[in-house]
Amino acid sequence: MAEVYGGASGTGHVLGQDLVLTASHVVADGHAASVRTLGSAEWVDADVIWRGTGDVDAALLRTRRPLPSETVDSSLRWGSVGTYEQISCRVTGFPAVQARSSGVRDTDTFCGQTVPGAGYKNGRIVIQSAGGPRDRIGSVSPWAGISGGAVFSSPESHLLGIVESVPAGYPNNRLKVVPTSTLLKDSRFREFVGDPAIRSVTKSGSVIHPPYGTLPDRHPASWLLDPRYAVVDFIDDGGWLDDLTKWATSSERFSIGAISGSGGMGKSRLAAELADRMRQVGWDAGYLNIDNVQSWHEVSSEHPLLIIIDYASRFGERLAGLIERLAANSSGKPVRLLLVERRLGAWWETVNRVTRRRAQHLLDKHVVLRESSISPESVSRHLELAMSSLSRKLGVEPIPASEIRTGDSTSPLLIHISVLLALRGTGLEPGGAEPLGRSPATREALLQGLLDREVTRWEAALEAHKLGHLHSAQAGRLVAMASLFSPTRAEAKVLLERMPEICSQPDVLKAVEWLADMFGSEDGVIRPVGPDLVVEHLLETLNDLDSLVLRLLDVRDALTDAPRARMFHLLSLSAQSGRNSRAALTAALARHLPQLLEAEISNAETEDHSLLVGALSASDKSNIALSRIAQQVAASIPSDSERLAEVRAEVFGLAITRGRRRAGGGIDKVPDELLVDERAADFAELGRLLNELGTSLGHLSRWGRAQAATLEAVEIFSVLSAKFGNFHDRRSLAVALSHAGQFFRSLRLHDQSLRSAMRATELWRELAVEDPKEREDLAIALTNLADSLCSAGKPAEAIAYSTEAIALLRSELRQGGERARPRLERALSELAHHLMEVGDVDWAREAITEAASSVGFEVGQTVETNRLDSVGYLNGLAAELLLREGEFEKAKSCAIISASAYGKYAHEYQGNFYYLRGSLQLLLRVLDAAGEAEDAAAMRADLAHLLVEPGIEDYDKEVKEFEAFAHIIEGRGASTMFSTAVRR
């Protein structure tokens, strides 16, 4: 900060040792200008080198001699804020109110908030101090003299703009500010200050990071290849940048795009180039600030907006929430969401499920960067451009591309590494390695060569930090810790203080400063050693990675959620191809899965379970220790929790590994005489786990995999029931058959569903005779059988089974079995459906009325209840009846209630999404029949993503999941789902 005088008193901000930013009106034309920095008594003459044009009240001064270096704001970060954002801010300067009798002015600080909507027409930010508007006191504002002062956001201190002249009559607790975005639009201004990155700032801080940052003076060689620094010029191999630009500038208000591909293919760089291109034409564009958790809720802009989310798989639920918010935003400005990840896998399924397929519907562009697309010509272009860029940056002579062997490298990053290593091998550093062109250019050799260079650099710096006594392995562990967590200095200090086996207490502060010296960035964070591929290679070459990871998790209370999430994500990525990382990840889960699950179950607000799912999925499925723990904790995961449905499926999937090992192979391969005692018990436990896995996958609508697990359980319990005939095995078989029938029905395999339901009902009849407590389950089986018959085109036959189920449940209710009430409601509802299919409208209406009454509501009336499925289904049936009778208004009322209830039901449990789709299709039929074509057309357009029916290929894909169990479905062999269970 500096005091400025040029005919009027003002304030300035020191941008460089000879560069000061101030308000233009402070320095009158033709008047001498002078600057005095805070704490100095000496005035330094200066000249105006730039003035804002038009009404832009800003100027740049060049001092005639350098100002003290300590007065320069070397960590300045530029920010932008919309006129509709309310954020905290502050400006310090030399206002008139602080003038002493001697004329010397002291400093004062104006603290306040931006005023949403104020200053919109002339493109200004208005800030207001606490207490609300007050009238001016006298003719001069008490803040006169603060003009030119730099306005910073609080608490992150982003420069938002400078104070301009205070208009006459303006309230004395308000100031007007020229935004940084206005200043930086001027090309002459940028000639003097450069082209600084601008972060979008909201009330919680920055929410959008610019696509590129400034490479620190001290940096690892691998950072020259980091996409955020853009040292190597960009090559658009497949014309993807133009394609993405067309997507971004298309007519849709909101659209999703994705870039996927293996590590090192240039995904992040392509995304950054797009953001840079869009910023040049007036968009707000960049990476979502994932370190600010409020970014997901606050990111917005008055300009067209491009939001990039790197490592998108880390943020399944948060991403789904952001998509829902952006899709519902009525702003007229276009918004684009670009997701960057190695593949659109299970995490994308989660996002789709949570958004009820809205995400997939909005995905208009998906770029897949494939290694096979890198042609020999592209390799040559990458070599040439990397050589030109890197040799210029390093200040060395380029090497002919013909002398560099890239081997089978087909990713841009590996090609760039080969160039960098070749240039480093020219003698730029003492003791350098041989040029890479003289050795094999395999992926491992390239990554190891780059890592060796870095090891040489960081080991050479140990002595300067009085850490020369550290073993290279200790230094490697410190770098791995920093690469896994990206901690701040304070976080690194806390971690190392808790880990004396990695760093002794006297060395902690020195180690933190060494890490910051080696890998510190402009924002004070200790960054990874290099791009992800380099980090992954470091992890793969670390001998005791598993013990390091375990130790880091042991001190997890010293960590915030963000660094722990980053560690799991990196390990999960590396584990997909790296044995060392997979072993470390598996060991971490084997030790900490109970605590991780406890945290997930007890904290409904946590949003890290998508990370836990990814870690479980990437772990070693054959690891018995992890499987044992999974088996122990699986039952603790609530079966009715939608939020934890995927976690539950992964845990049961892992638990089955040990179950299979203990059972010793498929039950059809075990001779009858060996299927005794503990072996039989082990198979029974395996069958139980398979039943649970099938149920969990069914909740996720993964019908094919659910059926595969269920049919295997059927096979196991069929054999056990036939051999031993005990009640428990036969009951488990009945459960498995019931589930199999439901999954077959979901896949529209109605004949198979009917056969499964028939056999399940036979078993439940036997069980209910032996134990009357099973009568309710028999009633459920009868209701399921009736559903299967109706779905198979036999509604008349279904009625008898439904009425039998209703009689059983009424009997249970009379005997005080309140648990039977919701089951009676369902049986009555299904009976009504069957009756409608055969045309018995009056009986159907009676069944609907009784069903609704049994659980406390009336169809056609809006009601607050947790029985959303009942409200949805019964109002849907009523709407169908009314539609047939031509009562369109009443039908529409019931159909709307049904769709609303199912909307909430599907939101609570995404596996029930298809009920919502059916209710919306019914509402459309009602609107069409009522002649309300305009409303129907609008609904079809707005809810297109909810109305898409699965195609035949979708069903075929699911069916292939359980092809291995065709012998069970078709009734071949000794152990089939339809064989009679013989009791001993």
Side-chain angles (χ1 to χ4, degrees):
M1 183 175 57
E3 198 172 352
V4 178
Y5 185 79
S9 294
T11 303
H13 193 74
V14 182
L15 301 179
Q17 278 196 265
D18 62 351
L19 192 64
V20 177
L21 173 63
T22 189
S24 180
H25 78 273
V26 171
V27 186
D29 284 334
H31 198 288
S34 54
V35 172
R36 180 167 62 182
T37 57
L38 183 64
S40 172
E42 184 179 7
W43 289 90
V44 177
D45 291 339
D47 301 298
V48 177
I49 58 172
W50 171 86
R51 285 186 190 273
T53 58
D55 63 350
V56 177
D57 186 13
L60 284 173
L61 306 179
R62 178 84 73 195
T63 59
R64 295 180 182 177
R65 54 188 175 82
L67 301 173
S69 59
E70 63 270 15
T71 64
V72 179
D73 189 352
S74 59
S75 60
L76 180 64
R77 294 185 294 177
W78 300 67
S80 66
V81 59
T83 55
Y84 287 102
E85 289 288 344
Q86 184 175 44
I87 66 169
S88 298
C89 56
R90 68 187 187 283
V91 53
T92 301
F94 302 89
V97 73
Q98 289 287 11
R100 301 172 186 170
S101 58
S102 62
V104 174
R105 296 189 181 194
D106 204 343
T107 57
D108 204 346
T109 299
F110 183 105
C111 296
Q113 291 184 316
T114 59
V115 182
Y120 177 79
K121 287 188 175 181
N122 67 342
R124 295 296 184 265
I125 302 169
V126 174
I127 60 177
Q128 175 178 293
S129 64
R134 295 194 298 272
D135 292 335
R136 287 279 299 273
I137 300 174
S139 59
V140 179
S141 166
W143 294 105
I146 206 170
S147 295
V151 179
F152 287 95
S153 65
S154 180
E156 285 190 333
S157 295
H158 288 91
L159 176 63
L160 303 180
I162 62 168
V163 178
E164 69 174 11
S165 61
V166 180
Y170 208 60
N172 65 13
N173 70 327
R174 283 192 174 193
L175 298 174
K176 297 186 79 173
V177 179
V178 180
T180 53
S181 56
T182 299
L183 300 176
L184 290 168
K185 284 179 183 176
D186 190 306
S187 59
R188 283 280 295 154
F189 182 82
R190 293 199 306 275
E191 286 179 18
F192 296 109
V193 303
D195 194 7
I198 308 179
R199 289 170 167 81
S200 180
V201 180
T202 66
K203 60 185 178 183
S204 66
S206 62
V207 294
I208 292 286
H209 285 328
Y212 294 124
T214 303
L215 183 68
D217 293 335
R218 290 181 59 79
H219 56 265
S222 58
W223 285 14
L224 295 170
L225 310 178
D226 195 302
R228 70 179 180 271
Y229 299 126
V231 173
V232 178
D233 294 336
F234 176 71
I235 294 179
D236 188 13
D237 281 312
W240 296 121
L241 182 57
D242 286 341
D243 280 357
L244 286 168
T245 303
K246 290 177 183 176
W247 160 73
T249 55
S250 61
S251 60
E252 287 80 8
R253 186 188 60 77
F254 174 53
S255 178
I256 300 173
I259 305 175
S260 63
S262 57
M265 286 302 298
K267 302 182 295 297
S268 298
R269 183 63 189 278
L270 175 58
E273 282 292 316
L274 176 66
D276 192 53
R277 176 179 284 191
M278 302 314 295
R279 286 164 71 93
Q280 292 176 27
V281 293
W283 285 52
D284 276 346
Y287 288 93
L288 189 75
N289 179 10
I290 58 175
D291 295 325
N292 178 0
V293 295
Q294 294 304 316
S295 296
W296 301 91
H297 312 291
E298 294 180 5
V299 61
S300 62
S301 178
E302 297 164 11
H303 307 286
L305 177 62
L306 169 64
I307 306 166
I308 303 171
I309 300 180
D310 212 350
Y311 306 112
S313 66
R314 284 178 55 182
F315 312 105
E317 291 74 21
R318 281 186 249 185
L319 177 55
L322 177 64
I323 289 171
E324 295 280 25
R325 183 172 75 80
L326 294 176
N329 182 17
S330 58
S331 167
K333 299 295 184 182
V335 177
R336 299 293 179 265
L337 180 62
L338 184 60
L339 311 178
V340 181
E341 191 48 274
R342 293 193 178 180
R343 60 185 62 85
L344 300 190
W347 68 272
W348 181 242
E349 292 180 22
T350 300
V351 172
N352 266 308
R353 188 165 43 79
V354 175
T355 61
R356 299 184 294 279
R357 295 194 180 182
R358 185 189 293 269
Q360 185 64 43
H361 180 71
L362 291 167
L363 181 64
D364 295 318
K365 187 66 180 177
H366 181 193
V367 172
V368 182
L369 302 181
R370 306 182 191 277
E371 293 190 8
S372 58
S373 66
I374 305 293
S375 65
E377 292 76 17
S378 293
V379 172
S380 297
R381 286 200 302 274
H382 277 287
L383 276 173
E384 182 178 344
L385 206 56
M387 181 60 69
S388 170
S389 302
L390 291 171
S391 61
R392 183 171 63 248
K393 184 68 178 179
L394 295 171
V396 299
E397 287 296 319
I399 298 172
S402 59
E403 295 184 16
I404 300 176
R405 294 197 344 234
T406 58
D408 57 358
S409 300
T410 52
S411 80
L413 178 61
L414 293 177
I415 296 168
H416 298 169
I417 290 174
S418 68
V419 172
L420 178 60
L421 289 177
L423 288 170
R424 286 298 203 188
T426 59
L428 182 69
E429 294 178 347
E434 287 296 307
L436 194 73
R438 304 175 192 172
S439 59
T442 64
R443 170 192 169 103
E444 288 70 24
L446 288 167
L447 292 170
Q448 189 59 50
L450 188 58
L451 188 58
D452 286 344
R453 284 284 184 181
E454 191 48 39
V455 170
T456 300
R457 186 182 81 96
W458 79 50
E459 288 185 347
L462 287 171
E463 194 66 46
H465 287 271
K466 300 181 180 179
L467 292 170
H469 56 280
L470 282 189
H471 190 274
S472 60
Q474 287 178 280
R477 285 194 290 272
L478 289 169
V479 175
M481 179 273 291
S483 295
L484 283 169
F485 284 153
S486 286
T488 62
R489 277 183 168 91
E491 289 170 336
K493 177 177 177 291
V494 171
L495 277 171
L496 295 181
E497 285 175 341
R498 301 282 295 276
M499 301 170 68
E501 69 278 15
I502 293 179
C503 184
S504 64
Q505 290 301 315
D507 289 337
V508 167
L509 291 178
K510 291 181 282 187
V512 170
E513 290 307 310
W514 171 73
L515 286 169
D517 188 26
M518 294 294 97
F519 309 109
S521 62
E522 68 279 2
D523 56 4
V525 173
I526 300 171
R527 296 290 180 186
V529 64
D532 284 347
L533 283 187
V534 180
V535 175
E536 290 171 28
H537 190 75
L538 169 65
L539 300 179
E540 281 304 295
T541 56
L542 205 64
N543 290 330
D544 56 351
L545 176 63
D546 54 350
S547 63
L548 174 64
V549 169
L550 289 173
R551 189 69 186 94
L552 288 169
L553 285 174
D554 284 340
V555 296
R556 63 186 179 278
D557 58 317
L559 301 173
T560 60
D561 288 341
R564 185 167 60 245
R566 173 180 165 78
M567 182 185 75
F568 270 112
H569 181 70
L570 269 175
L571 285 173
S572 299
L573 282 180
S574 188
Q576 293 171 14
S577 58
R579 295 175 60 185
N580 201 30
S581 296
R582 190 180 309 117
L585 177 64
T586 302
L589 290 170
R591 180 181 292 185
H592 292 280
L593 184 58
Q595 296 93 325
L596 292 169
L597 277 177
E598 183 181 357
E600 296 290 344
I601 294 168
S602 61
N603 184 5
E605 299 302 317
T606 183
E607 299 190 64
D608 283 344
H609 47 277
S610 56
L611 280 172
L612 182 55
V613 170
L616 290 166
S617 177
S619 64
D620 182 359
K621 300 294 192 298
S622 65
N623 185 274
I624 296 301
L626 177 56
S627 181
R628 181 186 298 110
I629 294 297
Q631 198 168 350
Q632 292 171 4
V633 302
S636 68
I637 308 173
S639 60
D640 59 348
S641 171
E642 157 65 12
R643 189 175 64 87
L644 298 174
E646 287 188 274
V647 174
R648 191 170 189 270
E650 287 290 343
V651 170
F652 271 106
L654 284 168
I656 283 170
T657 296
R658 182 169 179 264
R660 290 193 195 284
R661 181 74 63 88
R662 288 181 64 86
I667 198 167
D668 58 328
K669 302 294 192 301
V670 179
D672 185 69
E673 63 274 13
L674 296 181
L675 192 61
V676 295
D677 304 327
E678 290 186 8
R679 188 81 178 275
D682 289 337
F683 269 111
E685 174 63 9
L686 174 58
R688 183 190 71 79
L689 292 171
L690 287 163
N691 259 341
E692 293 284 0
L693 175 61
T695 301
S696 300
L697 292 167
H699 288 162
L700 296 168
S701 301
R702 296 173 187 169
W703 310 119
R705 289 177 57 197
Q707 191 66 297
T710 302
L711 291 178
E712 188 176 355
V714 166
E715 182 175 39
I716 288 171
F717 287 119
S718 294
V719 172
L720 294 177
S721 297
K723 182 174 177 62
F724 301 105
N726 69 59
F727 185 89
H728 181 77
D729 289 339
R730 287 182 294 123
R731 190 182 189 283
S732 296
L733 175 58
V735 170
L737 285 167
S738 296
H739 292 172
Q742 292 171 342
F743 296 150
F744 278 133
R745 193 161 67 247
S746 297
L747 291 168
R748 300 185 178 180
L749 298 173
H750 300 306
D751 289 342
Q752 293 89 330
S753 173
L754 182 55
R755 293 164 70 192
S756 301
M758 283 282 196
R759 183 67 193 106
T761 303
E762 290 173 16
L763 269 173
W764 285 114
R765 284 193 193 280
E766 295 177 12
L767 296 167
V769 169
E770 297 175 44
D771 184 354
K773 292 179 181 178
E774 302 297 337
R775 286 162 58 88
E776 284 188 28
D777 285 309
L778 170 58
I780 294 171
L782 288 163
T783 303
N784 289 338
L785 174 56
D787 288 350
S788 294
L789 280 164
C790 194
S791 297
K794 303 176 181 180
E797 295 179 40
I799 293 171
Y801 292 106
S802 283
T803 54
E804 183 183 356
I806 290 167
L808 280 170
L809 292 166
R810 282 174 174 160
S811 174
E812 290 297 305
L813 273 174
R814 284 194 295 270
Q815 297 174 40
E818 276 301 311
R819 202 177 65 154
R821 187 173 299 280
R823 293 167 180 175
L824 174 61
E825 177 270 321
R826 184 193 163 215
L828 286 164
S829 302
E830 297 299 345
L831 173 62
H833 175 69
H834 310 327
L835 290 167
M836 288 170 62
E837 289 296 303
V838 299
D840 196 331
V841 174
D842 292 336
W843 190 6
R845 186 178 289 109
E846 290 177 15
I848 292 171
T849 301
E850 184 183 352
S853 176
S854 70
V855 288
F857 70 92
E858 182 179 345
V859 294
Q861 301 294 320
T862 303
V863 61
E864 291 295 327
T865 176
N866 59 358
R867 297 290 301 170
L868 292 170
D869 54 339
S870 301
V871 173
Y873 191 51
L874 288 169
N875 275 283
L877 290 174
E880 186 70 52
L881 275 177
L882 292 163
L883 179 61
R884 294 181 185 185
E885 295 172 346
E887 296 279 355
F888 297 137
E889 281 303 314
K890 291 181 179 179
K892 184 168 75 170
S893 176
C894 288
I896 289 172
I897 293 172
S898 174
S900 176
Y902 273 137
K904 296 174 184 176
Y905 188 46
H907 183 72
E908 290 179 2
Y909 217 109
Q910 306 300 331
N912 295 318
F913 164 75
Y914 59 93
Y915 291 120
L916 172 60
R917 182 173 60 227
S919 68
L920 292 172
Q921 290 168 340
L922 171 61
L923 178 55
L924 281 170
R925 284 170 46 219
V926 172
L927 292 173
D928 288 338
E932 299 183 21
E934 186 174 341
D935 287 347
M939 182 176 164
R940 285 187 171 95
D942 293 342
L943 304 178
H945 62 288
L946 298 176
L947 297 168
V948 178
E949 287 277 5
I952 294 175
E953 65 281 359
D954 297 314
Y955 289 110
D956 289 344
K957 181 181 177 182
E958 296 289 339
V959 170
K960 286 180 180 178
E961 295 279 1
F962 54 89
E963 282 182 339
F965 299 95
H967 61 287
I968 303 174
I969 302 169
E970 295 165 9
R972 303 194 305 267
S975 56
T976 76
M977 67 166 68
F978 311 117
S979 62
T980 302
V982 180
R983 279 176 276 115
R984 186 167 55 186

